[in-house]
Amino acid sequence: MVIDERSQGNTGPRGRRYRDRSALDAIPGVPDWPWRFRGENANDFGRLRLYNSDFPHVKVVEVEAPASYESVVDVKQYARTLALVRIDSRDAYLVDIFRVAGGTVHDYMLHANLQDQHEARTTVRLAPRDGRAHGYLNSLRSGKTDGLWLAEFLCTPAVTLHTFVCGAPGTEVFLADGPALRRPGSAPFLFVRRGGDTDCFVAVHHVTQSGPPRIKSIEQLPTSGPDVVALRVTLEERVD
């Protein structure tokens, strides 16, 4: 999640934030690398809020890291919840909920394995856009939608990552080219943009091998409040 097209950092217009070493930071047998402390250590500000693997069919983890942005923009919430749901012994899907509060533009970023050549496509009708995004993304295409839509990353002739994204008013979907980072050349990057102070992005990721997705549809259900997310996921053989 990128806020206001700004990089995370511990130094910015809102001040400087560093975390000193503690005994719990020691990794047995691994020396500290030079930039881990008193350097680019914004990623050390994450907190594990929930981890549960008690149930055979659902594993859940939730993390937050508002401090990774607090020197750059005024961020009140920056949290992600992931639920791995078993379909059977062969397949699963991942529910992805990203909550953010602060800033004015929120970009939920998606890409596939950057070390491998792949393609990306979406069900949203896209049109060319001038300019660049995030400093490195070019050949922009974008389109707007308020409803449910699908992105697909064709990783190999047999493997496809399907991402079902729940709709929300004011959503703009971008597809762009950017540096592949882990190999020479470029790779497709997809990001979902919404404006406003508070957003909740809800998606379901599902990988298939040599066949169509076993997920037929997803639907976001009404709930008792904005902090609660409920989904109906329709599979070939059941409804979750």
Side-chain angles (χ1 to χ4, degrees), residues 52-60 83-89 91-95 238 240:
N52 188 290
S53 60
D54 294 344
F55 303 100
H57 298 293
V58 181
K59 316 296 181 184
V60 182
L84 183 66
V85 182
R86 175 179 170 139
I87 298 175
D88 55 27
S89 60
D91 284 328
Y93 62 86
L94 186 73
V95 178
R238 72 171 194 254
D240 292 347

Side-chain angles (χ1 to χ4, degrees), residues 68-86:
S68 64
Y69 258 115
E70 68 178 8
S71 295
V72 181
V73 293
D74 183 15
V75 174
K76 305 173 187 67
Q77 186 180 37
Y78 192 81
R80 193 173 202 172
T81 307
L82 299 171
L84 183 66
V85 182
R86 175 179 170 139

Side-chain angles (χ1 to χ4, degrees), residues 121-137:
R121 63 192 182 194
T122 175
T123 56
V124 179
R125 186 186 297 272
L126 305 178
R129 284 277 300 267
D130 293 333
R132 301 167 68 89
H134 300 279
Y136 299 97
L137 302 183

